[in-house]
Amino acid sequence: MDYMDNIRGKLALLPDLPGCYLMKNEEGTIIYVGKAKVLKNRVRSYFTGSHNGKTQRLVADIRDFEYIVTASNMEALILECNLIKKHMPRYNVQLKDDKTFPYIKITNERHPRLEVTRRVLKDKAKYFGPYPNAYAAQQTKKLLDRMYPLRKCGAMPKEVCLYYHMGQCLAPCEKEVPKSAYDEITQSISTFLGGGHEAVKKDLQQKMQEAAEELYFERAKELRDQINYIEALMEKQNINTADTKDRDVFGYAVDKGWMCVQILYMRQGKMIQRHSSSFPFYGEAFSDFMSYVTQYYSENPALPQEILLPEALLVQDAASVLPPDGPAAEESGAAERAAGAGTAAPAHAPAAETAGDTSAGHAAGDGEPSLIAPSAEDASAADEEAPETEAETAHRAAAAVEAAAAGVVDAAGGAAALQEWLGVKVLVPRRGLKKKMVRMACENGRVALEEKFRLIERDEERTSGAAQGLGQSLGLESLSRIEAFDNSNIQGANPVSAMVVFIDGKPAKKEYRKYKVRTVQGPDDYETMREVIRRRYERVLKENLPQPDLIVVDGGRGQISAAVDILENELGLFIPVCGLVKDVKHKTAQLLVGDPPEPVHLARDSEEFYLLQRIQDEVHRFAITFHREQRGKSMVTSRLDAIPGIGEKRRKLLLKHFGSLKKIKEATVEDFRPLSIGDKLARQILDALRDEETV
């Protein structure tokens, strides 16, 4: 193939340098962006040797590539992140909806407020987070609103509101509030969110006792409720460490072409939340994991004091998830030293710690693994553990050799680059409590993937069972292949039809088909159904395609009769046909079968009825989407074709160059010159399109 000759020529010229590579498809679109310690080794690895199924799909789409040389691994890491954001390649790991996490913000205003926000700005406000979900952030803010009387309104009202009478606002709208009062409140909130809620709880307990002793029972009840809120919201701590650092602990697991990344959020030495993301990946596992981490911190600039990363996993070890420990290595080991090489650690980053290993337990009633900080005796004993075995040493060596051969950024190099970029301590722990926390994150990732695949298997069993149950309800010996049809038009304009295929209860999207209606004029649903059924099954007979066990039409008796007439009287096919009737809310209401059609009663909460709903919704979605495409094309065609001097060739050229009608209208006369369109014709095009807007 010509493109392979081009690729081989480029592979021979690849440099032995770090950088990023951009894979392109036959249309020139960037479909994958990756980074490499050694470009020559990494890019070559895609076109040699064997790959898993998902990577094979990526490689099958590659027709060309480009590369950008960088000065270091760190530059490659940052450049990869920026290129992914810019081009949004389909095969890259992307945060998508998880790009921004909620934070609690104390605004920098004369009268500060508490807000939940997903945007961290340089506005001198105080930010706390991130919170893995908006509910946790909103609940925490609700608790703080009860406890601290900051203003709640966006614009200052003319008179006091209910919050003032409830003791939850200082009423700056009516009286002057000194800055010292706000400073005291914001300091208390900062202490609370920084992990000092125990001290706040003790203070509230003391005030509650004083109020009860003075017979202020209503006040005592309010304070008691606040204590209960704190206990309910803040006491779900799963891991404790001896220090009070803010840490983000990362772990990942891979299986069947999927990756799960787990983030454990530790604040003031306690684990407060966990976040999980699962997605398909196509490149090398650890490189794609590091891409995820880089994107995460590029969108979440409120950094912790320390970041813990796992070691790289070999693909063949992915199922086990947890690589063997090296008990003799110091906790941070060579990876920590590499991470600190060539860059000064920030002021808050202490020297490497050597806490020993501890056992994992379970928090009572929590269902989450719990790790307790070791005592000094435990740490000392752990430091004296036996050295790494020969098998474990060989395993590490094999992993390092394979990673180096592929040009993949290793764990130490990735940690070093991330530390240099973010300016906070990034460790790859080899033993002790930090290693336990990373292993716990990896184990959670493994469990999450297992659960995902179990759910998929269960859904497959249910959908397959639903298809069999539906076949039994219809009196069919077997029901494997279902073909469903739906028509779409607006008052007869741009009439189209669509067919979807379900095999064993699951959609087979490669077999979906679209039809432009050719012979029917006006909104005639019955004749449209006749034409499409005729065209579909004439082709089935001519090309000896698989015949369905059941045909589903969107409609009632008229549509069923039209389909049966064509199948039996014209084509000699005796395939069961059923119709799906919708109610006034456009939801699946009834199944009709037979000639004449009779209703088949299915329980609304049955898997069989749910399968029919899915089929009807899917074929309707597919038909509507196709109709919108055709309607949009016809509008563009008529508007451009109405301009003198614009034929089909120029119309296609304009749309390909500018991308849309809107961008053509926004263009200047000079923008048309690369298309060999003169200034006079360009002005005519712009005038014609802009005149339509003013009509």
Side-chain angles (χ1 to χ4, degrees), residues 632-643 651 692:
K633 286 179 181 178
S634 66
M635 290 171 64
V636 171
T637 300
S638 61
R639 292 169 76 177
L640 286 176
D641 287 347
I643 302 171
R651 170 168 51 80
E692 288 185 8

Side-chain angles (χ1 to χ4, degrees), residues 16-247:
D16 296 324
L17 296 169
C20 289
Y21 52 91
L22 301 87
M23 301 298 192
K24 298 181 178 182
N25 63 11
E26 60 186 354
E27 297 171 356
T29 303
I30 294 171
I31 58 174
Y32 187 76
V33 174
K35 61 183 175 301
K37 192 187 226 178
V38 181
L39 280 168
K40 179 165 67 176
N41 294 343
R42 182 67 187 126
V43 178
R44 279 180 176 177
S45 70
Y46 284 95
F47 304 98
T48 57
S50 59
H51 305 284
N52 60 33
K54 284 185 172 289
T55 308
Q56 287 176 6
R57 283 175 54 192
L58 163 63
V59 175
D61 284 348
I62 297 173
R63 294 295 180 270
D64 194 8
F65 70 86
E66 294 179 8
Y67 62 89
I68 303 171
V69 175
T70 60
S72 65
N73 288 341
M74 181 199 72
E75 287 188 14
L77 197 70
I78 300 169
L79 178 60
E80 180 197 37
C81 177
N82 293 333
L83 290 172
I84 289 172
K85 286 183 186 177
K86 179 180 178 182
H87 299 290
M88 300 291 287
R90 61 172 296 195
Y91 288 109
N92 270 101
V93 169
Q94 296 168 17
L95 293 185
K96 297 181 181 177
D97 292 339
D98 297 333
K99 280 185 179 177
T100 56
F101 292 79
Y103 294 78
I104 291 179
K105 170 183 178 181
I106 304 176
T107 61
N108 179 37
E109 298 174 279
R110 171 68 183 88
H111 305 290
R113 294 175 296 129
L114 273 177
E115 293 179 348
V116 174
T117 180
R118 292 180 183 269
R119 297 180 62 197
V120 179
L121 306 173
K122 294 180 180 179
D123 54 1
K124 298 184 179 179
K126 291 185 178 180
Y127 292 87
F128 301 90
Y131 289 82
N133 59 70
Y135 178 76
Q138 293 289 355
Q139 289 298 103
T140 305
K141 178 184 178 294
K142 189 182 294 185
L143 171 61
L144 294 171
D145 283 337
R146 290 173 178 268
M147 295 173 56
Y148 300 105
L150 292 180
R151 72 184 177 99
K152 311 294 187 293
C153 47
M156 203 76 73
K158 295 181 180 179
E159 56 185 20
V160 294
C161 60
L162 183 60
Y163 286 115
Y164 171 72
H165 297 294
M166 295 169 61
Q168 295 183 20
C169 182
L170 297 175
C173 53
E174 276 209 351
K175 55 185 179 181
E176 185 65 25
V177 180
K179 186 176 183 298
S180 58
Y182 284 132
D183 290 343
E184 183 180 346
I185 292 172
T186 54
Q187 181 58 43
S188 298
I189 293 175
S190 300
T191 302
F192 183 93
L193 292 174
H197 56 275
E198 284 290 346
V200 174
K201 192 170 74 171
K202 287 180 181 178
D203 182 51
L204 290 175
Q205 287 171 339
Q206 182 180 346
K207 289 180 179 178
M208 180 183 68
Q209 291 172 358
E210 292 174 356
E213 289 171 1
E214 296 175 7
L215 305 182
Y216 294 136
F217 296 118
E218 290 186 0
R219 175 60 178 161
K221 180 181 180 298
E222 290 176 3
L223 293 167
R224 184 202 64 188
D225 291 342
Q226 289 183 1
I227 293 169
N228 290 339
Y229 284 128
I230 293 174
E231 289 176 345
L233 190 65
M234 305 299 290
E235 288 301 300
K236 297 179 180 178
Q237 308 299 342
N238 302 320
I239 298 179
N240 295 328
T241 57
D243 58 21
T244 57
K245 281 187 177 179
D246 292 351
R247 291 185 177 90

Side-chain angles (χ1 to χ4, degrees), residues 35 52 61 64 77 200 213 244 324 327 353 359 489 520 544 553 574 577 592 611 616-617 630 695:
K35 61 183 175 301
N52 60 33
D61 284 348
D64 194 8
L77 197 70
V200 174
E213 289 171 1
T244 57
E353 302 164 37
S359 300
N489 66 79
V520 180
N544 198 26
V553 297
F574 295 89
V577 180
L592 298 177
L611 174 60
Q616 189 168 38
D617 290 345
Q630 295 304 307
V695 173

